[in-house]
């Protein structure tokens, strides 16, 4: 049972209200494919992912980045029920997509770095800690249906 | 006796074999790392680090502050400090120490193992920091660089610096066992 402080709730909701899902989603997801190239293995149907320039300009990468952010928003809207919110997505990632769950935090790292670049000084260590906790809960929930 | 069986030109095969063997004699041959730093990686890191000049103390302080706040398990190594809050005096001082060492490593990027030898011994025998924590500090350094240099910290720079910090962590782990 995750316990959120008022500060953490506010911090997370604040971040998501400030960021542009299309921009941040594209930036974080493309960064993940560039910095951790083995993650490309799950996106064989996305066309040209050959180098950083191709990834950055790839329209499927951009739209999928937005899909990811919209899925994260579901967790932000119901922070006390993240495990239940992601039960289906977890089964999908495990059974159909067969993603190694160690990869989830790689995307988490890239998202943190993009959010940090957007918020600058406002991304204080305390806000950063709240965001990291949120990501840890999301990742843990996505891992739940793996067996 | 000829291990190539019914091969008709054993001498030619041997020379091909020797050719491939000779390719693996450069100083940057694989050392068990995920990848070595390419010339492009090193250049990218050095060019970006020139922009960092003058801000090392601020970066180091912010990175250590974040590490202690976001990953509280790292506080266990600093129980001898009076104040573990972000930006406190011991945090500031230690951040400066760490960043000075990383900046020095940039200047010695062609031989990180040699450059970090005594620091590796310190971390292995005296401090006994679990090397898994090196990744944690590296991540926090990347986050700080991202907040302070949002336009320069592109994905290409990010991957080069991430690789560099991983190489530094590996060099730091050399003396552990």
């Amino acid at each position: 049972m995750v316990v959120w402080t008022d500060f953490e709730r506010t911090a997370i909701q604040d971040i998501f209200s400030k960021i542009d899902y299309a921009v941040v989603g594209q930036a974080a997801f493309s960064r993940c494919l560039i910095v951790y190239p083995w993650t490309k293995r799950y996106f064989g149907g996305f066309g040209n992912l050959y180098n950083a320039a191709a990834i950055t300009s790839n329209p499927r990468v951009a739209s999928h980045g937005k899909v990811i952010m919209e899925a994260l928003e579901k967790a932000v809207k119901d922070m006390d029920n993240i495990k239940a919110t992601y039960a289906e997505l977890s089964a999908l990632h495990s059974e159909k997509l067969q993603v190694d769950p160690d990869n989830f935090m790689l995307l988490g790292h890239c998202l943190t770095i993009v959010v940090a670049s957007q918020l600058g000084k406002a991304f204080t260590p305390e806000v950063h800690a709240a965001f990291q906790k949120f990501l840890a809960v999301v990742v843990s929930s996505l891992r739940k249906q793996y067996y | 006796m000829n291990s190539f069986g019914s091969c008709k030109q054993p001498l030619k095969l041997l020379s091909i074999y020797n050719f491939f063997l000779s390719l693996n004699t450069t100083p940057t041959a694989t050392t068990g790392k995920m990848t070595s730093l390419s010339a492009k990686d090193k250049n990218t890191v050095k060019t970006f680090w020139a922009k960092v000049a003058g801000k090392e103390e601020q970066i180091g302080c912010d990175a250590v502050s974040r590490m202690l706040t976001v990953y509280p398990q790292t506080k266990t190594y600093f129980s001898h400090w009076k104040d573990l809050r972000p930006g406190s005096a011991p945090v500031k001082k230690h951040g400066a120490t760490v960043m000075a060492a990383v900046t020095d490593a940039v200047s010695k990027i062609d031989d990180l193992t040699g450059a970090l030898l005594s620091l590796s011994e310190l971390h292995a025998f005296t401090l006994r920091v679990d090397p898994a924590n090196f990744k944690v500090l590296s991540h926090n350094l990347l986050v700080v660089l991202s907040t302070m240099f949002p336009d320069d910290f592109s994905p290409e720079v990010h991957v080069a610096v991430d690789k560099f910090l991983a190489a530094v962590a590996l060099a730091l782990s050399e003396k552990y066992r």
Side-chain angles (χ1 to χ4, degrees):
Chain A
M1 183 55 208
V2 186
V3 178
W4 302 101
T5 64
D6 289 336
F7 173 82
E8 286 164 347
R9 271 182 213 278
T10 312
I12 307 295
Q13 280 152 7
D14 207 42
I15 290 171
F16 276 80
S17 71
K18 285 199 171 100
I19 57 178
D20 179 325
Y21 289 2
V23 169
V24 169
Q26 189 273 344
F29 181 46
S30 59
R31 209 169 265 257
C32 185
L33 297 170
I34 293 167
V35 179
Y36 308 108
W38 54 92
T39 55
K40 288 191 267 188
R41 82 186 293 275
Y42 302 109
F43 303 100
F46 273 38
N48 186 0
L49 298 177
Y50 188 64
N51 55 26
I55 292 168
T56 309
S57 58
N58 186 311
R60 290 204 60 182
V61 169
S63 66
H64 195 65
K66 189 161 178 235
V67 163
I68 294 170
M69 295 309 294
E70 283 162 355
L72 283 171
E73 188 189 49
K74 290 201 177 106
V76 177
K77 290 207 155 110
D78 194 3
M79 285 175 68
D80 295 308
N81 285 304
I82 296 178
K83 193 164 80 181
T85 305
Y86 284 147
E88 252 185 74
L89 262 177
S90 176
L92 176 78
H93 281 75
S94 157
E95 288 161 25
K96 184 159 175 267
L97 306 174
Q98 292 181 325
V99 177
D100 179 343
D102 286 346
N103 288 308
F104 296 149
M105 201 35 100
L106 297 182
L107 179 57
H109 285 328
C110 290
L111 184 56
T112 304
I113 280 167
V114 170
V115 167
S117 75
Q118 294 263 309
L119 300 181
K121 277 203 164 74
F123 197 62
T124 62
E126 292 80 3
V127 170
H128 179 177
F131 194 65
Q132 180 59 34
K133 180 172 166 179
F134 172 73
L135 289 176
V137 173
V138 166
V139 166
S140 165
S141 304
L142 277 174
R143 293 184 86 117
K144 268 289 183 287
Q145 301 302 323
Y146 278 73
Y147 61 90
Chain B
M1 202 160 64
N2 182 341
S3 62
F4 296 111
S6 61
C7 173
K8 291 192 170 94
Q9 294 176 296
L11 285 176
K12 186 175 177 182
L13 272 169
L14 194 63
S15 68
I16 291 170
Y17 172 71
N18 281 331
F19 167 66
F20 282 112
L21 202 61
S22 71
L23 289 178
N24 201 35
T25 55
T26 62
T28 54
T30 57
T31 55
K33 293 183 264 199
M34 205 186 292
T35 54
S36 321
L37 293 171
S38 67
K40 183 170 170 228
D41 291 328
K42 293 179 189 178
N43 259 336
T44 306
V45 171
K46 286 186 156 161
T47 308
F48 178 75
W49 225 257
K51 301 193 162 91
V52 155
K55 300 199 165 82
E56 288 93 345
E57 285 194 18
Q58 185 188 348
I59 293 169
C61 177
D62 196 355
V64 173
S65 297
R66 275 174 204 279
M67 182 185 76
L68 297 170
T69 310
V70 182
Y71 301 91
Q73 71 266 21
T74 57
K75 289 197 281 191
T76 57
Y77 293 100
F78 303 101
S79 51
H80 55 286
W81 285 356
K82 287 206 162 65
D83 188 352
L84 285 159
R85 289 169 305 173
S88 71
V91 167
K92 227 188 248 182
K93 182 164 172 251
H94 197 61
T97 306
V98 168
M99 259 316 263
V102 174
T103 302
D104 186 52
V106 173
S107 71
K108 295 173 181 157
I109 204 167
D110 291 314
D111 180 21
L112 289 173
T113 309
L116 292 162
L117 188 69
S118 52
L119 268 177
S120 181
E121 285 175 346
L122 176 74
H123 283 75
F125 304 128
T126 310
L127 304 175
R128 284 182 281 199
V129 176
D130 186 334
N133 292 299
F134 298 154
K135 253 191 227 174
V136 174
L137 181 56
S138 297
H139 172 63
N140 284 292
L141 255 169
L142 295 176
V143 171
V144 172
L145 294 175
S146 177
T147 59
M148 290 179 64
F149 305 95
D151 299 318
D152 296 301
F153 197 63
S154 65
E156 290 86 341
V157 170
H158 177 171
V159 61
V161 176
D162 193 27
K163 282 175 75 175
F164 165 68
L165 291 174
V168 167
L170 191 71
L172 219 50
S173 314
E174 278 290 329
K175 289 298 184 185
Y176 271 70
R177 55 178 178 172

